[in-house]
Amino acid sequence: DKATLWDRLRRMNPPQRILLAPRADRMTRMLLVQDKDPQVLLSLLKNPRLSIDEVVRIAKSSHLFYQSIDLILKTPLWMANLDVRVALIHNPKTPLALALRILPTLPDAEVRVLAKGAAPNNALRQAALRKVQGGEP
């Protein structure tokens, strides 16, 4: 029962949720992906049953931090997915240096969207604009 699972997760302290995340089933992962603790999200990324859709939801999280972003970038299966890359580049928590590594892998249409102002910061918008205008990011 989802309500019971939600109550059980709420009663857990962060270390307990961190230990649960790498072995959590799909329903539990759906709830843990909403966790505000960045360590829980990092631990969740280590779950071998994680789907691409769940990685996209984590990549969009406002509670993401550097180690999680780095793990996503280092996982070829996840970085091969356009939705994951787009979620990371639009996340304001993604450091500029990492976002600039993602930018050249995006289709031109997405780069144009970033150049027109959808980028989370001005430096990334400027890099996208340079790429659209024919220069390097």
Side-chain angles (χ1 to χ4, degrees), residues 8-134:
R8 198 173 89 231
L9 286 174
R10 278 196 356 231
R11 285 192 299 267
M12 288 181 164
N13 61 35
Q16 290 172 321
R17 291 192 310 274
I18 290 168
L19 289 173
L20 173 65
R23 56 186 174 77
D25 63 21
R26 185 164 181 75
M27 183 62 76
T28 305
R29 291 192 314 265
M30 284 176 47
L31 296 172
L32 286 174
V33 82
Q34 301 170 44
D35 202 293
K36 290 179 173 38
D37 187 335
Q39 291 291 340
V40 172
L41 296 177
L42 178 61
S43 189
L44 196 55
L45 286 168
K46 296 175 183 173
N47 188 313
R49 295 175 293 181
L50 204 60
S51 71
I52 290 290
D53 289 341
E54 291 167 312
V55 175
V56 170
R57 288 186 65 204
I58 292 170
K60 289 179 178 179
S61 174
S62 61
H63 304 292
L64 205 58
F65 73 134
Y66 181 83
Q67 286 87 347
S68 296
I69 296 167
D70 192 49
L71 179 58
I72 293 171
L73 287 172
K74 289 179 179 175
T75 306
L77 176 66
W78 297 341
M79 286 308 293
N81 184 282
L82 178 60
D83 293 335
V84 171
R85 294 191 315 266
V86 168
L88 282 176
I89 206 155
H90 283 281
N91 191 328
K93 295 281 188 160
T94 302
L96 179 61
L98 298 181
L100 290 175
R101 281 183 27 205
I102 298 169
L103 186 63
T105 72
L106 297 176
D108 290 342
E110 185 59 37
V111 175
R112 281 193 294 278
V113 167
L114 291 166
K116 289 181 181 175
N121 62 57
N122 194 44
L124 183 59
R125 188 179 72 71
Q126 291 298 320
L129 192 56
R130 282 193 302 277
K131 189 168 192 284
V132 166
Q133 292 172 344

